[in-house]
Amino acid sequence: MNETVRQQLVDDHFLFVSGDPNLKVAGMERDWPEGRGIFHNKEKTFLTWVNEEDQLRIISMEKGGDVKGVFDRLARGIKAVGDSVKAESGKDFMMSEKYGYIHSCPTNLGTGMRASVHIDLPGWTKLGLKVLQARCEELHLQPRGTRGESGGQTGVTYDISNKHRLGYSEVELVQKMIDGVNMLYKEDVALCQAHGI
């Protein structure tokens, strides 16, 4: 992959950003770019990141609100990748009966499922990030900027995801995200009306 292609993938939010100080100090960037990579379908709705924060990150995404379709594509993709790994190596993904899937990043212990949506929340933005973070904590959600957990926040668009990974099924985590985002949106509409936004 040449630099122009790499930068376009980063700019389009499809490829991880190199240079994260946390990844560097943990030694996770020492093989960049030779030991890392990305594979995606033509539509860029299904991606696999190799050796970013985890050894393998499988992503399904698309614009719009078809969470069920995204989840279905993810389930089929995980099975296909798992079957391919098994056929090639004879091994399954590392799984602990007690802790779930084993990851490099301890925050992903459990299902490893992070379901998220990008949503504009101008009302919550007017109240400030700390207020939004507190509300998300109550809803068991995590707000991030659209450039990832280290990317900071710009504008009124947030990446809202389930906070927990451990102790819940994938379906429970996706439903928690859907319910929480619906509540944040409803509250944001009221905040916008109250503040004349």
Side-chain angles (χ1 to χ4, degrees):
M1 157 177 12
N2 66 39
E3 178 57 23
T4 304
V5 171
R6 188 199 68 79
Q7 188 59 52
Q8 188 63 55
L9 288 167
V10 169
D11 292 345
D12 292 341
H13 306 274
F14 294 124
L15 184 60
F16 41 84
V17 180
S18 183
D20 182 296
N22 297 318
L23 296 180
K24 280 185 173 179
V25 77
M28 295 174 142
E29 290 212 3
R30 64 182 173 266
D31 295 322
W32 177 257
E34 289 80 18
R36 304 169 89 189
I38 179 174
F39 300 90
H40 59 77
N41 65 358
K42 181 180 171 188
E43 299 80 20
K44 295 181 184 161
T45 57
F46 184 80
L47 305 92
T48 57
W49 290 356
V50 178
N51 291 332
E52 186 245 3
E53 197 172 271
D54 292 309
Q55 292 91 351
L56 180 65
R57 185 168 294 186
I58 302 173
I59 302 165
S60 176
M61 62 184 179
E62 68 181 55
K63 291 185 183 222
D66 184 11
V67 176
K68 184 179 180 201
V70 172
F71 187 82
D72 178 63
R73 181 184 321 107
L74 179 65
R76 287 183 287 115
I78 290 171
K79 180 175 180 346
V81 171
D83 290 349
S84 177
V85 168
K86 178 81 170 185
E88 184 72 24
S89 69
K91 306 214 183 280
D92 292 311
F93 291 131
M94 290 176 46
M95 170 73 129
S96 162
E97 288 297 320
K98 183 174 182 181
Y99 298 113
Y101 290 101
I102 309 301
H103 301 270
S104 296
C105 180
T107 63
N108 289 332
L109 194 62
T111 66
M113 168 69 75
R114 182 177 167 275
S116 71
V117 297
H118 287 189
I119 184 170
D120 290 345
L121 298 171
W124 282 108
T125 302
K126 181 150 181 75
L127 293 181
L129 182 58
K130 295 281 188 204
V131 177
L132 175 60
Q133 287 172 330
R135 180 61 178 131
C136 284
E137 183 70 28
E138 294 170 355
L139 296 170
H140 305 281
L141 299 176
Q142 182 179 39
R144 298 179 178 184
T146 56
R147 301 293 267 170
E149 62 189 319
S150 304
Q153 175 55 36
T154 58
V156 300
T157 306
Y158 297 85
D159 179 306
I160 306 290
S161 64
N162 54 293
K163 181 176 179 182
H164 301 109
R165 314 283 191 272
L166 188 59
Y168 299 90
S169 73
E170 289 86 347
V171 172
E172 289 172 315
L173 293 175
V174 171
Q175 191 61 55
K176 186 172 285 285
M177 183 273 300
I178 291 169
D179 294 343
V181 167
N182 284 337
M183 179 60 70
L184 285 174
Y185 176 76
K186 181 180 174 183
E187 293 167 350
D188 192 74
V189 169
L191 288 168
C192 286
Q193 291 173 346
H195 294 288
I197 299 173

